[in-house]
Amino acid sequence: MLLELFLLLCLIGIFKFVISWLVSPQVLKLDGKHVLITGGSSGIGKAMAKEAIRRGAVVSIMARNITKLEAAKVDLEKVAGNNFKPVCIVSVDVAGDYEEVQKAVQKTEDKQGPVNMLINCAGIGVAKTFEDLKIDEFKKLMNLNYFGSVQTTKAVISKMKEQGGGRIVFISSQAGQLGLFGYTGYAASKFALRGLAESLQMEVRPYNIYVTVAHPPDTETPGFEEEERNKPEETKLISGTSGLFKPEAVAKQILQDSVNGRFCSYIGLDGWMLANITCGMSPVHSMCDAIQQVLTVSVFRLISFFYLCHFTRIVRKCKAKRDKEQKEKME
Ligand SMILES: NC(=O)C1=CN([C@@H]2O[C@H](COP(=O)(O)OP(=O)(O)OC[C@H]3O[C@@H](n4cnc5c(N)ncnc54)[C@H](OP(=O)(O)O)[C@@H]3O)[C@@H](O)[C@H]2O)C=CC1
Ligand SMILES: CCCCCCCCCCCCCCCC(=O)[C@@H](N)CO
């Protein structure tokens, strides 16, 4: 009995030691730090810019449309109140020419100093069946959602290493954790970010740089409204299980997770389950997270069968409904 207790204590000790060695990020104080946000003129990116300003950061935003950028600048500068710091705006296509992206990043650094936190939020959601998605749409999704993030990250990483630390955030999606109806192009582009982020994290950890991949559910943004217009019924119903969130709540969570140096950022109950079930071999943030993952993976896998059953039924029902409608039309 005593020996068993001793062995158990030893095991806990070793576990604790391993985890503490795996990660020990310090919380990054955003006050006075330069936060650069791609896609910062709308939706989640704009909400993140607001949250960063509230925390005292110096903010730059990049997007293509200059009118939207200027309008966002006015809105964002109101948030700061007495603590006014001008927001730097730069118009650039993050999925375009790499030299242009480099120049754009340089412009923000000339004004606001070296980037302490990069948030890759420029992206687009397109929901269509595999058959309906055009090859050009597949390419556009990968080009913007994946390569866009590669380009801006590449443009900041060397200086961030030299500075001795920082944060990189990739905005993926819950559709970057599981594939679902309508997202053959979109989910692939978001899954790609995870491979990039895991590999990059291993490379840059010795430089005190922490990478975060955020997996938001449906969020009420202009981009989401646009995506909803011709979204298949199946995608709407399946995504709907995770609910619809406010950009402010999503942004707050992601920023908090990034300053804490967490690899995975999620929100909501489904988000929590998905984060645990898809943890794979991603970096672990704390003892608490490690225990949660070890204990919940198999239970959540079991629960996932019920979700999958539910999704299969949705797909079958929608097909039956469509077949019936088509038959009625023919008659
Ligand atoms: N809303 C949702 O339900 C969810 C969204 N996400 C992800 O969050 C991110 C933001 O989404 P959301 O806030 O809804 O999107 P919005 O459409 O509201 O905002 C997108 C932003 O990205 C900018 N942008 C788009 N294309 C480019 C480009 N080529 N170069 C530079 N900037 C660009 C847009 O400005 P401009 O057009 O002027 O360039 C805009 O500022 C996306 O990556 C999306 O996939 C993830 C999960 C859920
Ligand atoms: C234990 C198992 C738990 C399983 C939970 C499953 C929940 C699945 C919901 C998937 C939602 C996908 C939303 C994508 C939103 C998005 O990225 C677009 N709106 C972008 O515009």
Side-chain angles (χ1 to χ4, degrees):
M1 182 66 190
L2 252 172
L3 184 72
E4 279 160 8
L5 197 70
F6 175 73
L7 284 175
L8 187 71
L9 283 176
C10 283
L11 210 67
I12 293 176
I14 294 170
F15 195 56
K16 255 184 134 168
F17 172 75
V18 172
I19 299 298
S20 70
W21 197 81
L22 283 175
V23 271
S24 49
Q26 273 187 339
V27 176
L28 179 80
K29 285 211 176 64
L30 280 187
D31 196 31
K33 298 286 190 321
H34 180 194
V35 178
L36 167 58
I37 304 161
T38 73
S41 64
S42 169
I44 299 176
K46 188 171 168 191
M48 294 209 64
K50 278 191 184 159
E51 190 53 31
I53 291 172
R54 269 190 214 108
R55 288 168 176 245
V58 184
V59 165
S60 301
I61 57 174
M62 301 201 306
R64 291 162 309 172
N65 186 313
I66 190 70
T67 320
K68 264 175 28 187
L69 279 167
E70 277 162 357
K73 179 177 161 77
V74 174
D75 281 355
L76 292 173
E77 286 178 349
K78 278 185 201 146
V79 177
N82 291 340
N83 217 346
F84 182 85
K85 288 164 193 147
V87 170
C88 172
I89 56 173
V90 183
S91 164
V92 68
D93 176 359
V94 294
D97 194 17
Y98 178 58
E99 265 179 31
E100 294 301 316
V101 177
Q102 268 182 316
K103 273 190 212 154
V105 169
Q106 189 58 51
K107 265 189 207 162
T108 72
E109 292 191 320
D110 291 345
K111 282 210 176 115
Q112 319 277 56
V115 176
N116 300 104
M117 180 188 277
L118 167 68
I119 302 172
N120 289 296
C121 198
I124 192 172
V126 179
K128 282 183 191 172
T129 61
F130 181 74
E131 244 187 312
D132 287 344
L133 260 184
K134 298 197 177 64
I135 291 296
D136 277 350
E137 289 177 303
F138 276 98
K139 286 186 181 163
K140 187 181 173 192
L141 281 164
M142 203 48 114
N143 235 345
L144 175 54
N145 295 353
Y146 174 69
F147 283 110
S149 302
V150 171
Q151 301 213 100
T152 28
T153 304
K154 206 161 168 55
V156 303
I157 202 74
S158 307
K159 274 211 191 109
M160 203 177 264
K161 276 180 165 177
E162 272 170 32
Q163 263 166 237
R167 296 287 188 272
I168 308 273
V169 182
F170 297 104
I171 310 293
S172 174
S173 158
Q174 284 190 353
Q177 294 173 304
L178 81 158
L180 58 131
F181 194 107
Y183 281 147
T184 47
Y186 179 71
S189 71
K190 295 298 188 180
F191 267 74
L193 290 174
R194 165 80 177 260
L196 164 68
E198 269 189 34
S199 309
L200 182 67
Q201 178 62 93
M202 206 182 273
E203 283 187 23
V204 299
R205 202 194 147 214
Y207 298 88
N208 196 28
I209 298 173
Y210 288 90
V211 178
T212 298
V213 190
H215 298 281
D218 278 341
T219 308
E220 275 177 62
T221 64
F224 176 70
E225 262 171 43
E226 183 62 37
E227 185 203 2
E228 278 276 286
R229 282 181 202 219
N230 37 27
K231 196 184 255 185
E233 187 70 15
E234 288 90 337
T235 315
K236 279 189 189 164
L237 292 169
I238 295 171
S239 298
T241 47
S242 248
L244 183 60
F245 283 68
K246 297 263 178 228
E248 294 76 23
V250 170
K252 241 188 183 150
Q253 186 65 51
I254 299 173
L255 209 68
Q256 187 57 46
D257 287 330
S258 171
V259 295
N260 286 344
R262 296 183 80 99
F263 182 74
C264 177
S265 177
Y266 60 85
I267 190 166
L269 178 66
D270 283 343
W272 175 63
M273 291 199 285
L274 278 173
N276 282 288
I277 201 174
T278 64
C279 65
M281 262 187 76
S282 60
V284 60
H285 176 262
S286 65
M287 183 74 178
C288 176
D289 280 7
I291 292 173
Q292 256 184 58
Q293 289 167 0
V294 171
L295 296 181
T296 61
V297 165
S298 59
V299 183
F300 289 169
R301 178 59 175 144
L302 187 69
I303 295 176
S304 80
F305 298 144
F306 294 95
Y307 275 86
L308 287 172
C309 260
H310 177 55
F311 299 161
T312 311
R313 274 184 47 206
I314 289 176
V315 175
R316 200 180 301 140
K317 269 191 185 164
C318 286
K319 180 171 185 299
K321 196 173 129 197
R322 218 170 281 136
D323 286 350
K324 201 175 147 210
E325 278 168 7
Q326 200 141 26
K327 214 172 149 194
E328 278 169 8
K329 243 193 235 162
M330 303 264 273
E331 282 166 8

